[in-house]
Amino acid sequence: MTPLLLAVAAAHTYANPIDLDYRYNFEQVNEGISYRTGADPVIVPFKGAYYLFLTLADGYWRSTDLVTWRFVKPSRWPAEGIVAPAVTSDGTRLLIMPSMTTQGTIYSTSDPASGGIDYFVRRMPALPGAVRSGQEDTVRPGQVPPGPWDPDLFQDADRRWYLYWNSSNVFPIYGAPVAFADGRMTYGEPRRAFILLDPDRHGWERFGQDHSGTLPDGTPIKPFMEGAWMTRVGTRYYLQYGAPGTEYNAYATGTYVGSSPMGPFTYAAYNPVGYKPGGFVQGAGHGNTFRDLHGNWWNTGTPWVGYNWAFERRIAMWPTVFDADGQMRVSTRFGDFPQRMPTARITDPDALFTGWMLLSYRKAATASASVSDHPATDATDEDPRSFWLSPTKAPGTTLTVDLGAAKTVRAVQVNFADYRAGRFGDAPDIYTAFRLERSLDGRTWNPLARTDAPRRDRPNAYFELPSPVRARYVRYVHGHIGGANLAIGDLRVFGSAGGTAPPTPAMIAATRDSDSRNATIRWQRVPGAVGYNVRWGIRPDRLALTYQVFADRVAAGEAATLSLRALTVGQHYYVAVEAFDENGVSALSRVAPM
């Protein structure tokens, strides 16, 4: 192995979506719709490592650094797969509880590294008051929908257990104390309904693209609430939930806060907490919150791809803090650019951003060949739903990005797309192999990075370079993929153009609309800017939320404009804007009330 590959294997940065061997989904096998996906992540630390569980993965992953993940094939797993599992540790084992609409099984393992899975509760008791699946419209007071679906198991410091569950655009999230003994589980009292969405007041809880409130054809639809997760920090209990729907950029995480596991809970004024509607990775809802081995908090979520199927997704994770006054903050600022993986306790999640800027946006791209309507330039548009499609997947097929001038390259991410892949499960020939090359003149090429052993599938392959290199051209040279067609959504190059950061944008106005769930943000356009981060929050010194927008996707003219539709009625906010380009990030603009 060359020194380059040794350095790449020991990477200390990561980029979302997480570099994981996402599984081909089997749900649409009869319809012939093939795609890789991952959703509803739960990461749990256990015995010095981390274990990651996803929906319909036929197993789980293990990591010791949160960067490199190894798939673990379990000794037993339900044939129909596991959806949105509750996974937690009681200190001696992991408990794995699938979503269910009838009496199912809770699994356990005291040695998850080996894949050995045991039964913890072979057959769950019936959910008290639940109607049969398909009869949700008959629910009367005192009854609940079938389940528990989208469960979360939480053990408090006194070792008492609690269960939270539900996924619906009609019914609330429920909770109840539970107990385990002699291979059985019992439901305790009280059993309560906790959270219902309130989109008439909470703008971010409206369904659809940018909270449009409708399906793409304009049909109004109620938002969905799902993915309960409980986190205790000090004396506060954070009951988190995903909303308003996984199929769009606005999928987010919110939280209610209480002083006990069974509430009462109060809506957090700073909601949403996990929110990423702009950029390459879009969507942040339905994940979990966990603490790493250094004491740092993280929040995971389910970004949206949605090309082949509405529920084609990936996973991401973002650094998180709980402030002394109780505010939960999930930092998604530059959340799909390279981030440092901390090896000690950190207090400022924004400090993990490497400062490596995007060099490949809208850059010229060429390929050895392309299929009509899927040109090479689709691989530099920061849109996972468009892609370069090659007419062949023969080894040696190339895709080349021209950065426009010689620049300093620090990392590369290759994001593959699934186009008529024809796969519906794992197989020995499903793996990714390729190399990356660099050039200053487009004629003489030198190695940049390559996939290495052990071979695995890498739909979102990320390479941190061992040291900075100068390059104008970055070339992908194909080796192997498992799908029927070679398609690359985006070949993303990060580093620096070597100039000065852009000037600070001048804030023009931040105006709440007549519908105060919405606001219009206007600022002075910065010449040459690649994009902007619109940052806002309920305190002027804590602009916790970010909407990233590319400069060529805002209104033309001297003023740039963003419609922000994620606000809460009656809540005051503050907003500011920063510009970024290939050299760095500007200072923050004047902070304006909103």
Side-chain angles (χ1 to χ4, degrees):
M1 185 178 290
T2 68
L4 170 63
L5 295 184
L6 284 171
V8 170
H12 297 293
T13 65
Y14 74 100
N16 288 313
I18 292 177
D19 185 355
L20 200 71
D21 47 337
Y22 296 92
R23 307 276 115 166
Y24 279 100
N25 192 284
F26 62 82
E27 286 184 296
Q28 280 74 47
V29 62
N30 295 312
E31 293 80 10
I33 302 173
S34 170
Y35 57 95
R36 286 167 288 194
T37 189
D40 316 322
V42 177
I43 296 178
V44 181
F46 184 73
K47 294 184 178 179
Y50 305 95
Y51 293 89
L52 165 62
F53 295 79
L54 301 178
T55 286
L56 298 177
D58 288 336
Y60 52 91
W61 287 262
R62 181 181 189 271
S63 176
T64 57
D65 58 9
L66 291 175
V67 174
T68 303
W69 295 89
R70 176 183 65 86
F71 186 74
V72 179
K73 187 71 174 177
S75 61
R76 63 163 53 94
W77 210 250
E80 66 276 14
I82 287 178
V83 173
V87 185
T88 191
S89 169
D90 67 357
T92 61
R93 77 202 106 189
L94 292 181
L95 307 185
I96 308 162
M97 179 181 180
S99 293
M100 58 189 76
T101 57
T102 186
Q103 295 165 269
T105 300
I106 301 177
Y107 302 88
S108 70
T109 174
S110 58
D111 184 18
S114 72
I117 301 293
D118 301 311
Y119 294 116
F120 186 67
V121 176
R122 186 72 178 266
R123 183 171 172 81
M124 287 270 291
L127 179 61
V131 302
R132 291 180 181 272
S133 181
Q135 297 182 358
E136 289 85 350
D137 59 350
T138 70
V139 170
R140 299 186 303 274
Q143 293 183 315
V144 298
W149 194 264
D150 269 14
D152 174 45
L153 280 171
F154 169 72
Q155 188 179 40
D156 205 357
D158 60 7
R159 304 196 63 79
R160 294 180 181 178
W161 287 96
Y162 300 86
L163 175 66
Y164 308 90
W165 75 94
N166 209 34
S167 173
S168 175
N169 68 344
V170 176
F171 302 105
I173 284 178
Y174 301 95
V178 295
F180 299 103
D182 302 322
R184 301 176 60 206
M185 188 191 97
T186 55
Y187 287 93
E189 294 282 355
R191 293 186 287 275
R192 291 177 176 160
F194 287 128
I195 300 173
L196 269 174
L197 297 184
D198 188 3
D200 291 339
R201 290 185 51 81
H202 309 150
W204 73 274
E205 291 181 347
R206 288 175 289 181
F207 189 82
Q209 187 76 6
D210 280 317
H211 312 292
S212 66
T214 70
L215 296 173
D217 64 2
T219 303
I221 183 172
K222 291 181 179 179
F224 290 79
M225 178 178 55
E226 53 201 1
W229 185 266
M230 174 61 78
T231 301
R232 178 177 177 175
V233 181
T235 59
R236 296 184 178 96
Y237 294 80
Y238 296 80
L239 181 54
Q240 299 143 66
Y241 60 103
T246 188
E247 306 97 313
Y248 299 99
N249 70 326
Y251 199 34
T253 294
T255 190
Y256 280 63
V257 186
S259 57
S260 79
M262 291 298 290
F265 295 100
T266 301
Y267 180 81
Y270 48 79
N271 272 319
V273 290
Y275 189 64
K276 195 179 184 308
F280 178 70
V281 166
Q282 296 181 357
H286 201 147
N288 82 313
T289 300
F290 70 97
R291 204 168 195 179
D292 69 20
L293 300 177
H294 308 292
N296 301 305
W297 290 100
W298 296 86
N299 182 256
T300 66
T302 305
W304 171 61
V305 176
Y307 174 78
N308 292 284
W309 192 252
F311 300 102
E312 180 184 9
R313 296 163 291 179
R314 294 290 187 265
I315 65 166
M317 62 183 189
W318 297 280
T320 300
V321 294
F322 292 88
D323 293 305
D325 62 3
Q327 181 170 347
M328 178 182 179
R329 287 190 289 137
V330 178
S331 176
T332 64
R333 176 178 175 263
F334 292 113
D336 49 28
F337 285 30
Q339 301 278 325
R340 295 182 183 89
M341 181 56 66
T343 56
R345 184 77 179 272
I346 59 106
T347 57
D348 178 12
D350 287 344
L352 296 180
F353 175 44
T354 60
W356 302 347
M357 308 310 297
L358 181 65
L359 305 178
S360 50
Y361 183 61
R362 299 291 191 190
K363 292 302 171 61
T366 56
S368 51
S370 300
V371 172
S372 178
D373 298 328
H374 295 284
T377 49
D378 279 358
T380 61
D381 64 359
E382 290 289 286
D383 182 356
R385 287 165 291 283
S386 68
F387 48 86
W388 164 66
L389 179 61
S390 171
T392 176
K393 63 172 185 175
T397 300
T398 62
L399 171 67
T400 304
V401 174
D402 179 357
L403 302 179
K407 295 170 184 175
T408 300
V409 176
R410 302 298 303 267
V412 181
Q413 186 188 52
V414 183
N415 299 275
F416 292 86
D418 284 309
Y419 178 79
R420 300 180 182 177
R423 309 307 294 260
F424 300 94
D426 199 25
D429 66 327
I430 295 179
Y431 65 91
T432 307
F434 62 88
R435 67 181 188 271
L436 298 173
E437 298 175 336
R438 62 183 173 95
S439 175
L440 288 170
D441 58 10
R443 295 184 297 274
T444 301
W445 295 90
N446 293 300
L448 187 63
R450 65 182 300 163
T451 54
D452 57 353
R455 70 187 191 186
R456 61 186 177 94
D457 203 18
R458 300 185 67 177
N460 303 94
Y462 172 75
F463 298 89
E464 173 191 341
L465 304 183
S467 59
V469 299
R470 298 286 289 172
R472 172 172 175 171
Y473 301 91
V474 173
R475 181 165 73 180
Y476 167 92
V477 183
H478 184 61
H480 177 86
I481 55 168
N485 293 285
L486 171 59
I488 292 179
D490 279 84
L491 199 166
R492 310 175 74 212
V493 182
F494 298 96
S496 175
T500 59
T504 303
M507 174 64 75
I508 297 176
T511 307
R512 295 288 278 270
D513 299 350
S514 57
D515 180 346
S516 64
R517 297 173 298 176
N518 309 329
T520 301
I521 317 301
R522 299 176 68 240
W523 64 95
Q524 198 74 25
R525 187 184 295 275
V526 174
V530 172
Y532 306 94
N533 288 329
V534 176
R535 303 176 61 188
W536 80 98
I538 65 172
R539 288 175 42 161
D541 60 343
R542 193 182 290 170
L543 305 180
L545 295 162
T546 301
Y547 196 132
Q548 184 183 91
V549 59
F550 289 102
D552 61 350
R553 299 183 190 179
V554 295
E558 291 187 2
T561 303
L562 177 70
S563 178
L564 192 61
R565 298 171 52 83
L567 310 181
T568 294
V569 173
Q571 176 63 52
H572 295 288
Y573 295 91
Y574 300 86
V575 64
V577 180
E578 61 189 3
F580 63 91
D581 62 13
E582 297 183 353
N583 304 295
V585 188
S586 76
L588 199 62
S589 75
R590 172 181 63 89
V591 177
M594 178 172 63

